[in-house]
PDB file of all heavy atoms in Angstrom:
ATOM      1  N   LEU A   1     131.454  40.069  99.385  1.00  0.00           N
ATOM      2  CA  LEU A   1     130.405  40.869  98.755  1.00  0.00           C
ATOM      3  C   LEU A   1     129.083  40.443  99.358  1.00  0.00           C
ATOM      4  O   LEU A   1     128.819  39.250  99.536  1.00  0.00           O
ATOM      5  CB  LEU A   1     130.390  40.646  97.241  1.00  0.00           C
ATOM      6  CG  LEU A   1     131.670  41.018  96.499  1.00  0.00           C
ATOM      7  CD1 LEU A   1     131.483  40.842  94.998  1.00  0.00           C
ATOM      8  CD2 LEU A   1     132.120  42.430  96.816  1.00  0.00           C
ATOM      9  N   THR A   2     128.266  41.435  99.676  1.00  0.00           N
ATOM     10  CA  THR A   2     127.013  41.174 100.368  1.00  0.00           C
ATOM     11  C   THR A   2     125.845  41.780  99.598  1.00  0.00           C
ATOM     12  O   THR A   2     126.015  42.250  98.480  1.00  0.00           O
ATOM     13  CB  THR A   2     127.057  41.766 101.790  1.00  0.00           C
ATOM     14  OG1 THR A   2     127.254  43.180 101.684  1.00  0.00           O
ATOM     15  CG2 THR A   2     128.176  41.158 102.603  1.00  0.00           C
ATOM     16  N   GLY A   3     124.714  41.842 100.235  1.00  0.00           N
ATOM     17  CA  GLY A   3     123.453  42.242  99.628  1.00  0.00           C
ATOM     18  C   GLY A   3     123.471  43.467  98.730  1.00  0.00           C
ATOM     19  O   GLY A   3     124.331  44.331  98.826  1.00  0.00           O
ATOM     20  N   ALA A   4     122.469  43.506  97.850  1.00  0.00           N
ATOM     21  CA  ALA A   4     122.332  44.570  96.867  1.00  0.00           C
ATOM     22  C   ALA A   4     121.870  45.877  97.506  1.00  0.00           C
ATOM     23  O   ALA A   4     121.199  45.882  98.543  1.00  0.00           O
ATOM     24  CB  ALA A   4     121.346  44.145  95.787  1.00  0.00           C
ATOM     25  N   GLY A   5     122.241  46.967  96.856  1.00  0.00           N
ATOM     26  CA  GLY A   5     121.801  48.295  97.234  1.00  0.00           C
ATOM     27  C   GLY A   5     121.733  49.147  95.980  1.00  0.00           C
ATOM     28  O   GLY A   5     121.937  48.641  94.862  1.00  0.00           O
ATOM     29  N   HIS A   6     121.472  50.426  96.130  1.00  0.00           N
ATOM     30  CA  HIS A   6     121.381  51.299  94.957  1.00  0.00           C
ATOM     31  C   HIS A   6     121.742  52.730  95.324  1.00  0.00           C
ATOM     32  O   HIS A   6     121.664  53.130  96.476  1.00  0.00           O
ATOM     33  CB  HIS A   6     119.974  51.247  94.347  1.00  0.00           C
ATOM     34  CG  HIS A   6     118.901  51.763  95.257  1.00  0.00           C
ATOM     35  ND1 HIS A   6     118.431  53.051  95.205  1.00  0.00           N
ATOM     36  CD2 HIS A   6     118.224  51.167  96.266  1.00  0.00           C
ATOM     37  CE1 HIS A   6     117.505  53.220  96.114  1.00  0.00           C
ATOM     38  NE2 HIS A   6     117.356  52.098  96.789  1.00  0.00           N
ATOM     39  N   PHE A   7     122.158  53.459  94.303  1.00  0.00           N
ATOM     40  CA  PHE A   7     122.366  54.897  94.401  1.00  0.00           C
ATOM     41  C   PHE A   7     121.227  55.536  93.613  1.00  0.00           C
ATOM     42  O   PHE A   7     121.250  55.534  92.380  1.00  0.00           O
ATOM     43  CB  PHE A   7     123.724  55.322  93.822  1.00  0.00           C
ATOM     44  CG  PHE A   7     124.898  54.800  94.600  1.00  0.00           C
ATOM     45  CD1 PHE A   7     125.902  54.078  93.970  1.00  0.00           C
ATOM     46  CD2 PHE A   7     125.021  55.034  95.965  1.00  0.00           C
ATOM     47  CE1 PHE A   7     126.997  53.609  94.683  1.00  0.00           C
ATOM     48  CE2 PHE A   7     126.114  54.564  96.686  1.00  0.00           C
ATOM     49  CZ  PHE A   7     127.099  53.842  96.042  1.00  0.00           C
ATOM     50  N   ARG A   8     120.209  55.961  94.324  1.00  0.00           N
ATOM     51  CA  ARG A   8     118.996  56.538  93.730  1.00  0.00           C
ATOM     52  C   ARG A   8     118.552  55.666  92.557  1.00  0.00           C
ATOM     53  O   ARG A   8     118.408  54.468  92.728  1.00  0.00           O
ATOM     54  CB  ARG A   8     119.232  57.989  93.333  1.00  0.00           C
ATOM     55  CG  ARG A   8     119.498  58.861  94.534  1.00  0.00           C
ATOM     56  CD  ARG A   8     119.520  60.328  94.166  1.00  0.00           C
ATOM     57  NE  ARG A   8     120.403  61.022  95.080  1.00  0.00           N
ATOM     58  CZ  ARG A   8     121.371  61.827  94.729  1.00  0.00           C
ATOM     59  NH1 ARG A   8     121.574  62.095  93.464  1.00  0.00           N
ATOM     60  NH2 ARG A   8     122.108  62.399  95.635  1.00  0.00           N
ATOM     61  N   THR A   9     118.341  56.271  91.395  1.00  0.00           N
ATOM     62  CA  THR A   9     117.966  55.476  90.217  1.00  0.00           C
ATOM     63  C   THR A   9     119.116  55.432  89.212  1.00  0.00           C
ATOM     64  O   THR A   9     118.909  55.170  88.045  1.00  0.00           O
ATOM     65  CB  THR A   9     116.702  56.061  89.543  1.00  0.00           C
ATOM     66  OG1 THR A   9     116.962  57.426  89.203  1.00  0.00           O
ATOM     67  CG2 THR A   9     115.495  55.962  90.445  1.00  0.00           C
ATOM     68  N   ARG A  10     120.355  55.632  89.708  1.00  0.00           N
ATOM     69  CA  ARG A  10     121.521  55.673  88.813  1.00  0.00           C
ATOM     70  C   ARG A  10     122.230  54.334  88.682  1.00  0.00           C
ATOM     71  O   ARG A  10     122.754  54.013  87.617  1.00  0.00           O
ATOM     72  CB  ARG A  10     122.524  56.719  89.298  1.00  0.00           C
ATOM     73  CG  ARG A  10     122.040  58.139  89.161  1.00  0.00           C
ATOM     74  CD  ARG A  10     123.150  59.129  89.450  1.00  0.00           C
ATOM     75  NE  ARG A  10     124.094  58.639  90.426  1.00  0.00           N
ATOM     76  CZ  ARG A  10     124.277  59.161  91.634  1.00  0.00           C
ATOM     77  NH1 ARG A  10     123.593  60.191  92.018  1.00  0.00           N
ATOM     78  NH2 ARG A  10     125.153  58.641  92.451  1.00  0.00           N
ATOM     79  N   ALA A  11     122.299  53.563  89.774  1.00  0.00           N
ATOM     80  CA  ALA A  11     123.092  52.332  89.740  1.00  0.00           C
ATOM     81  C   ALA A  11     122.618  51.374  90.830  1.00  0.00           C
ATOM     82  O   ALA A  11     122.094  51.809  91.859  1.00  0.00           O
ATOM     83  CB  ALA A  11     124.573  52.644  89.952  1.00  0.00           C
ATOM     84  N   VAL A  12     122.822  50.072  90.570  1.00  0.00           N
ATOM     85  CA  VAL A  12     122.622  49.055  91.606  1.00  0.00           C
ATOM     86  C   VAL A  12     123.967  48.402  91.864  1.00  0.00           C
ATOM     87  O   VAL A  12     124.817  48.334  90.976  1.00  0.00           O
ATOM     88  CB  VAL A  12     121.541  48.008  91.234  1.00  0.00           C
ATOM     89  CG1 VAL A  12     120.173  48.651  91.169  1.00  0.00           C
ATOM     90  CG2 VAL A  12     121.875  47.291  89.950  1.00  0.00           C
ATOM     91  N   TRP A  13     124.176  47.936  93.094  1.00  0.00           N
ATOM     92  CA  TRP A  13     125.478  47.443  93.499  1.00  0.00           C
ATOM     93  C   TRP A  13     125.360  46.345  94.540  1.00  0.00           C
ATOM     94  O   TRP A  13     124.298  46.124  95.113  1.00  0.00           O
ATOM     95  CB  TRP A  13     126.345  48.576  94.034  1.00  0.00           C
ATOM     96  CG  TRP A  13     125.659  49.519  94.988  1.00  0.00           C
ATOM     97  CD1 TRP A  13     125.119  50.728  94.688  1.00  0.00           C
ATOM     98  CD2 TRP A  13     125.437  49.337  96.407  1.00  0.00           C
ATOM     99  NE1 TRP A  13     124.594  51.312  95.824  1.00  0.00           N
ATOM    100  CE2 TRP A  13     124.771  50.481  96.880  1.00  0.00           C
ATOM    101  CE3 TRP A  13     125.736  48.322  97.302  1.00  0.00           C
ATOM    102  CZ2 TRP A  13     124.404  50.636  98.222  1.00  0.00           C
ATOM    103  CZ3 TRP A  13     125.372  48.472  98.636  1.00  0.00           C
ATOM    104  CH2 TRP A  13     124.710  49.623  99.084  1.00  0.00           C
ATOM    105  N   LEU A  14     126.497  45.686  94.797  1.00  0.00           N
ATOM    106  CA  LEU A  14     126.646  44.764  95.915  1.00  0.00           C
ATOM    107  C   LEU A  14     127.527  45.439  96.956  1.00  0.00           C
ATOM    108  O   LEU A  14     128.544  46.056  96.613  1.00  0.00           O
ATOM    109  CB  LEU A  14     127.303  43.453  95.477  1.00  0.00           C
ATOM    110  CG  LEU A  14     126.472  42.555  94.586  1.00  0.00           C
ATOM    111  CD1 LEU A  14     127.303  41.350  94.123  1.00  0.00           C
ATOM    112  CD2 LEU A  14     125.200  42.089  95.281  1.00  0.00           C
ATOM    113  N   GLY A  15     127.132  45.321  98.205  1.00  0.00           N
ATOM    114  CA  GLY A  15     127.911  45.884  99.293  1.00  0.00           C
ATOM    115  C   GLY A  15     129.129  45.031  99.606  1.00  0.00           C
ATOM    116  O   GLY A  15     129.320  43.950  99.040  1.00  0.00           O
ATOM    117  N   VAL A  16     129.962  45.517 100.513  1.00  0.00           N
ATOM    118  CA  VAL A  16     131.190  44.829 100.908  1.00  0.00           C
ATOM    119  C   VAL A  16     131.275  44.858 102.429  1.00  0.00           C
ATOM    120  O   VAL A  16     131.048  45.896 103.051  1.00  0.00           O
ATOM    121  CB  VAL A  16     132.434  45.522 100.308  1.00  0.00           C
ATOM    122  CG1 VAL A  16     133.697  44.767 100.672  1.00  0.00           C
ATOM    123  CG2 VAL A  16     132.308  45.655  98.801  1.00  0.00           C
ATOM    124  N   GLU A  17     131.598  43.718 103.014  1.00  0.00           N
ATOM    125  CA  GLU A  17     131.799  43.634 104.473  1.00  0.00           C
ATOM    126  C   GLU A  17     133.102  42.924 104.750  1.00  0.00           C
ATOM    127  O   GLU A  17     133.434  41.970 104.044  1.00  0.00           O
ATOM    128  CB  GLU A  17     130.647  42.871 105.125  1.00  0.00           C
ATOM    129  CG  GLU A  17     129.329  43.613 105.080  1.00  0.00           C
ATOM    130  CD  GLU A  17     128.202  42.825 105.720  1.00  0.00           C
ATOM    131  OE1 GLU A  17     128.432  41.691 106.193  1.00  0.00           O
ATOM    132  OE2 GLU A  17     127.088  43.341 105.735  1.00  0.00           O
ATOM    133  N   PRO A  18     133.849  43.322 105.742  1.00  0.00           N
ATOM    134  CA  PRO A  18     133.661  44.547 106.518  1.00  0.00           C
ATOM    135  C   PRO A  18     134.087  45.762 105.699  1.00  0.00           C
ATOM    136  O   PRO A  18     134.953  45.675 104.837  1.00  0.00           O
ATOM    137  CB  PRO A  18     134.565  44.332 107.735  1.00  0.00           C
ATOM    138  CG  PRO A  18     135.668  43.462 107.234  1.00  0.00           C
ATOM    139  CD  PRO A  18     135.031  42.565 106.190  1.00  0.00           C
ATOM    140  N   GLU A  19     133.496  46.892 105.994  1.00  0.00           N
ATOM    141  CA  GLU A  19     133.817  48.123 105.281  1.00  0.00           C
ATOM    142  C   GLU A  19     135.076  48.801 105.816  1.00  0.00           C
ATOM    143  O   GLU A  19     135.789  49.467 105.070  1.00  0.00           O
ATOM    144  CB  GLU A  19     132.650  49.116 105.370  1.00  0.00           C
ATOM    145  CG  GLU A  19     131.436  48.717 104.571  1.00  0.00           C
ATOM    146  CD  GLU A  19     130.366  49.792 104.559  1.00  0.00           C
ATOM    147  OE1 GLU A  19     130.403  50.709 105.425  1.00  0.00           O
ATOM    148  OE2 GLU A  19     129.495  49.742 103.677  1.00  0.00           O
ATOM    149  N   ALA A  20     135.351  48.654 107.105  1.00  0.00           N
ATOM    150  CA  ALA A  20     136.432  49.414 107.755  1.00  0.00           C
ATOM    151  C   ALA A  20     137.791  49.303 107.056  1.00  0.00           C
ATOM    152  O   ALA A  20     138.437  50.338 106.817  1.00  0.00           O
ATOM    153  CB  ALA A  20     136.541  49.032 109.228  1.00  0.00           C
ATOM    154  N   PRO A  21     138.286  48.104 106.704  1.00  0.00           N
ATOM    155  CA  PRO A  21     139.609  48.081 106.064  1.00  0.00           C
ATOM    156  C   PRO A  21     139.620  48.762 104.694  1.00  0.00           C
ATOM    157  O   PRO A  21     140.630  49.349 104.303  1.00  0.00           O
ATOM    158  CB  PRO A  21     139.962  46.596 105.962  1.00  0.00           C
ATOM    159  CG  PRO A  21     138.691  45.854 106.184  1.00  0.00           C
ATOM    160  CD  PRO A  21     137.779  46.744 106.953  1.00  0.00           C
ATOM    161  N   LEU A  22     138.498  48.719 103.979  1.00  0.00           N
ATOM    162  CA  LEU A  22     138.430  49.408 102.688  1.00  0.00           C
ATOM    163  C   LEU A  22     138.366  50.918 102.874  1.00  0.00           C
ATOM    164  O   LEU A  22     138.963  51.667 102.095  1.00  0.00           O
ATOM    165  CB  LEU A  22     137.232  48.915 101.880  1.00  0.00           C
ATOM    166  CG  LEU A  22     137.487  47.573 101.200  1.00  0.00           C
ATOM    167  CD1 LEU A  22     136.189  46.919 100.774  1.00  0.00           C
ATOM    168  CD2 LEU A  22     138.419  47.744 100.017  1.00  0.00           C
ATOM    169  N   ILE A  23     137.672  51.352 103.890  1.00  0.00           N
ATOM    170  CA  ILE A  23     137.626  52.787 104.186  1.00  0.00           C
ATOM    171  C   ILE A  23     139.014  53.278 104.582  1.00  0.00           C
ATOM    172  O   ILE A  23     139.460  54.343 104.143  1.00  0.00           O
ATOM    173  CB  ILE A  23     136.567  53.091 105.268  1.00  0.00           C
ATOM    174  CG1 ILE A  23     135.171  52.849 104.681  1.00  0.00           C
ATOM    175  CG2 ILE A  23     136.718  54.511 105.806  1.00  0.00           C
ATOM    176  CD1 ILE A  23     134.054  52.872 105.695  1.00  0.00           C
ATOM    177  N   ASP A  24     139.742  52.480 105.363  1.00  0.00           N
ATOM    178  CA  ASP A  24     141.120  52.838 105.726  1.00  0.00           C
ATOM    179  C   ASP A  24     141.998  52.934 104.483  1.00  0.00           C
ATOM    180  O   ASP A  24     142.790  53.881 104.337  1.00  0.00           O
ATOM    181  CB  ASP A  24     141.710  51.826 106.704  1.00  0.00           C
ATOM    182  CG  ASP A  24     141.083  51.894 108.092  1.00  0.00           C
ATOM    183  OD1 ASP A  24     140.383  52.889 108.406  1.00  0.00           O
ATOM    184  OD2 ASP A  24     141.284  50.925 108.865  1.00  0.00           O
ATOM    185  N   LEU A  25     141.882  51.948 103.566  1.00  0.00           N
ATOM    186  CA  LEU A  25     142.674  51.967 102.333  1.00  0.00           C
ATOM    187  C   LEU A  25     142.269  53.166 101.471  1.00  0.00           C
ATOM    188  O   LEU A  25     143.131  53.842 100.908  1.00  0.00           O
ATOM    189  CB  LEU A  25     142.500  50.655 101.561  1.00  0.00           C
ATOM    190  CG  LEU A  25     143.285  50.525 100.261  1.00  0.00           C
ATOM    191  CD1 LEU A  25     144.790  50.687 100.495  1.00  0.00           C
ATOM    192  CD2 LEU A  25     142.984  49.185  99.599  1.00  0.00           C
ATOM    193  N   HIS A  26     140.993  53.446 101.385  1.00  0.00           N
ATOM    194  CA  HIS A  26     140.501  54.620 100.645  1.00  0.00           C
ATOM    195  C   HIS A  26     141.144  55.895 101.192  1.00  0.00           C
ATOM    196  O   HIS A  26     141.649  56.724 100.414  1.00  0.00           O
ATOM    197  CB  HIS A  26     138.969  54.694 100.768  1.00  0.00           C
ATOM    198  CG  HIS A  26     138.387  56.012 100.408  1.00  0.00           C
ATOM    199  ND1 HIS A  26     138.177  56.428  99.108  1.00  0.00           N
ATOM    200  CD2 HIS A  26     137.966  57.033 101.201  1.00  0.00           C
ATOM    201  CE1 HIS A  26     137.657  57.635  99.114  1.00  0.00           C
ATOM    202  NE2 HIS A  26     137.516  58.028 100.372  1.00  0.00           N
ATOM    203  N   ASN A  27     141.136  56.049 102.512  1.00  0.00           N
ATOM    204  CA  ASN A  27     141.699  57.258 103.122  1.00  0.00           C
ATOM    205  C   ASN A  27     143.208  57.347 102.919  1.00  0.00           C
ATOM    206  O   ASN A  27     143.745  58.424 102.646  1.00  0.00           O
ATOM    207  CB  ASN A  27     141.340  57.319 104.605  1.00  0.00           C
ATOM    208  CG  ASN A  27     139.861  57.602 104.818  1.00  0.00           C
ATOM    209  OD1 ASN A  27     139.197  58.216 103.984  1.00  0.00           O
ATOM    210  ND2 ASN A  27     139.329  57.125 105.930  1.00  0.00           N
ATOM    211  N   GLN A  28     143.917  56.227 103.047  1.00  0.00           N
ATOM    212  CA  GLN A  28     145.368  56.192 102.816  1.00  0.00           C
ATOM    213  C   GLN A  28     145.670  56.586 101.370  1.00  0.00           C
ATOM    214  O   GLN A  28     146.550  57.410 101.104  1.00  0.00           O
ATOM    215  CB  GLN A  28     145.895  54.788 103.116  1.00  0.00           C
ATOM    216  CG  GLN A  28     147.355  54.591 102.784  1.00  0.00           C
ATOM    217  CD  GLN A  28     147.800  53.138 102.940  1.00  0.00           C
ATOM    218  OE1 GLN A  28     147.134  52.321 103.574  1.00  0.00           O
ATOM    219  NE2 GLN A  28     148.930  52.814 102.358  1.00  0.00           N
ATOM    220  N   ASP A  29     144.935  56.002 100.435  1.00  0.00           N
ATOM    221  CA  ASP A  29     145.134  56.286  99.015  1.00  0.00           C
ATOM    222  C   ASP A  29     144.770  57.736  98.695  1.00  0.00           C
ATOM    223  O   ASP A  29     145.479  58.419  97.950  1.00  0.00           O
ATOM    224  CB  ASP A  29     144.272  55.306  98.195  1.00  0.00           C
ATOM    225  CG  ASP A  29     144.455  55.454  96.706  1.00  0.00           C
ATOM    226  OD1 ASP A  29     145.612  55.478  96.242  1.00  0.00           O
ATOM    227  OD2 ASP A  29     143.426  55.537  96.000  1.00  0.00           O
ATOM    228  N   LYS A  30     143.697  58.214  99.280  1.00  0.00           N
ATOM    229  CA  LYS A  30     143.258  59.597  99.056  1.00  0.00           C
ATOM    230  C   LYS A  30     144.340  60.582  99.517  1.00  0.00           C
ATOM    231  O   LYS A  30     144.636  61.557  98.817  1.00  0.00           O
ATOM    232  CB  LYS A  30     141.945  59.849  99.795  1.00  0.00           C
ATOM    233  CG  LYS A  30     141.336  61.197  99.536  1.00  0.00           C
ATOM    234  CD  LYS A  30     139.970  61.308 100.217  1.00  0.00           C
ATOM    235  CE  LYS A  30     139.315  62.623  99.893  1.00  0.00           C
ATOM    236  NZ  LYS A  30     137.950  62.703 100.446  1.00  0.00           N
ATOM    237  N   ALA A  31     144.937  60.328 100.669  1.00  0.00           N
ATOM    238  CA  ALA A  31     146.000  61.200 101.175  1.00  0.00           C
ATOM    239  C   ALA A  31     147.199  61.198 100.224  1.00  0.00           C
ATOM    240  O   ALA A  31     147.778  62.253  99.942  1.00  0.00           O
ATOM    241  CB  ALA A  31     146.418  60.765 102.579  1.00  0.00           C
ATOM    242  N   ALA A  32     147.563  60.020  99.707  1.00  0.00           N
ATOM    243  CA  ALA A  32     148.701  59.927  98.785  1.00  0.00           C
ATOM    244  C   ALA A  32     148.401  60.655  97.477  1.00  0.00           C
ATOM    245  O   ALA A  32     149.264  61.360  96.935  1.00  0.00           O
ATOM    246  CB  ALA A  32     149.036  58.458  98.521  1.00  0.00           C
ATOM    247  N   LEU A  33     147.197  60.503  96.970  1.00  0.00           N
ATOM    248  CA  LEU A  33     146.817  61.172  95.724  1.00  0.00           C
ATOM    249  C   LEU A  33     146.754  62.685  95.912  1.00  0.00           C
ATOM    250  O   LEU A  33     147.222  63.446  95.058  1.00  0.00           O
ATOM    251  CB  LEU A  33     145.475  60.635  95.225  1.00  0.00           C
ATOM    252  CG  LEU A  33     145.484  59.184  94.736  1.00  0.00           C
ATOM    253  CD1 LEU A  33     144.061  58.661  94.570  1.00  0.00           C
ATOM    254  CD2 LEU A  33     146.274  59.050  93.439  1.00  0.00           C
ATOM    255  N   THR A  34     146.198  63.114  97.023  1.00  0.00           N
ATOM    256  CA  THR A  34     146.104  64.545  97.320  1.00  0.00           C
ATOM    257  C   THR A  34     147.497  65.160  97.426  1.00  0.00           C
ATOM    258  O   THR A  34     147.732  66.284  96.967  1.00  0.00           O
ATOM    259  CB  THR A  34     145.286  64.763  98.609  1.00  0.00           C
ATOM    260  OG1 THR A  34     143.988  64.191  98.428  1.00  0.00           O
ATOM    261  CG2 THR A  34     145.130  66.236  98.924  1.00  0.00           C
ATOM    262  N   ALA A  35     148.454  64.427  97.996  1.00  0.00           N
ATOM    263  CA  ALA A  35     149.837  64.913  98.107  1.00  0.00           C
ATOM    264  C   ALA A  35     150.473  65.120  96.733  1.00  0.00           C
ATOM    265  O   ALA A  35     151.385  65.934  96.594  1.00  0.00           O
ATOM    266  CB  ALA A  35     150.671  63.936  98.933  1.00  0.00           C
ATOM    267  N   LEU A  36     149.959  64.405  95.722  1.00  0.00           N
ATOM    268  CA  LEU A  36     150.451  64.586  94.354  1.00  0.00           C
ATOM    269  C   LEU A  36     149.736  65.734  93.639  1.00  0.00           C
ATOM    270  O   LEU A  36     150.032  66.022  92.481  1.00  0.00           O
ATOM    271  CB  LEU A  36     150.257  63.300  93.541  1.00  0.00           C
ATOM    272  CG  LEU A  36     151.125  62.115  93.932  1.00  0.00           C
ATOM    273  CD1 LEU A  36     150.733  60.883  93.126  1.00  0.00           C
ATOM    274  CD2 LEU A  36     152.601  62.436  93.727  1.00  0.00           C
ATOM    275  N   GLY A  37     148.773  66.347  94.318  1.00  0.00           N
ATOM    276  CA  GLY A  37     148.042  67.453  93.714  1.00  0.00           C
ATOM    277  C   GLY A  37     146.743  67.051  93.029  1.00  0.00           C
ATOM    278  O   GLY A  37     146.125  67.870  92.349  1.00  0.00           O
ATOM    279  N   VAL A  38     146.333  65.800  93.198  1.00  0.00           N
ATOM    280  CA  VAL A  38     145.080  65.325  92.603  1.00  0.00           C
ATOM    281  C   VAL A  38     143.913  65.826  93.455  1.00  0.00           C
ATOM    282  O   VAL A  38     143.935  65.692  94.681  1.00  0.00           O
ATOM    283  CB  VAL A  38     145.056  63.780  92.516  1.00  0.00           C
ATOM    284  CG1 VAL A  38     143.720  63.282  91.986  1.00  0.00           C
ATOM    285  CG2 VAL A  38     146.212  63.268  91.668  1.00  0.00           C
ATOM    286  N   THR A  39     142.920  66.399  92.813  1.00  0.00           N
ATOM    287  CA  THR A  39     141.708  66.842  93.502  1.00  0.00           C
ATOM    288  C   THR A  39     140.683  65.719  93.409  1.00  0.00           C
ATOM    289  O   THR A  39     140.331  65.290  92.307  1.00  0.00           O
ATOM    290  CB  THR A  39     141.139  68.120  92.856  1.00  0.00           C
ATOM    291  OG1 THR A  39     142.154  69.121  92.888  1.00  0.00           O
ATOM    292  CG2 THR A  39     139.909  68.602  93.594  1.00  0.00           C
ATOM    293  N   LEU A  40     140.234  65.245  94.564  1.00  0.00           N
ATOM    294  CA  LEU A  40     139.289  64.132  94.605  1.00  0.00           C
ATOM    295  C   LEU A  40     137.939  64.582  95.135  1.00  0.00           C
ATOM    296  O   LEU A  40     137.828  65.592  95.837  1.00  0.00           O
ATOM    297  CB  LEU A  40     139.840  63.010  95.496  1.00  0.00           C
ATOM    298  CG  LEU A  40     141.140  62.374  95.022  1.00  0.00           C
ATOM    299  CD1 LEU A  40     141.698  61.445  96.088  1.00  0.00           C
ATOM    300  CD2 LEU A  40     140.922  61.610  93.726  1.00  0.00           C
ATOM    301  N   ASP A  41     136.951  63.798  94.811  1.00  0.00           N
ATOM    302  CA  ASP A  41     135.588  64.011  95.276  1.00  0.00           C
ATOM    303  C   ASP A  41     135.545  63.873  96.797  1.00  0.00           C
ATOM    304  O   ASP A  41     136.225  63.024  97.368  1.00  0.00           O
ATOM    305  CB  ASP A  41     134.724  62.914  94.641  1.00  0.00           C
ATOM    306  CG  ASP A  41     133.270  63.249  94.611  1.00  0.00           C
ATOM    307  OD1 ASP A  41     132.883  64.300  95.136  1.00  0.00           O
ATOM    308  OD2 ASP A  41     132.517  62.441  94.046  1.00  0.00           O
TER     309      ASP A  41
END
């Protein structure tokens, strides 16, 4: 977990490094969920 950031004035967060393996897991999971008929953002 790395430095703080924010989403406009809605939330503050800590970043994550490296991002690439999490993005890969996100995409893998998204494909599996979509195959079940789940509509994702």
Side-chain angles (χ1 to χ4, degrees):
L1 299 184
T2 60
H6 64 96
F7 294 126
R8 295 189 209 129
T9 57
R10 291 189 328 246
V12 293
W13 45 262
L14 291 175
V16 183
E17 291 179 359
E19 290 186 343
L22 281 163
I23 291 170
D24 290 346
L25 181 58
H26 163 79
N27 290 333
Q28 174 187 343
D29 183 49
K30 185 175 183 175
L33 292 167
T34 302
L36 291 175
V38 176
T39 303
L40 297 171
D41 200 356

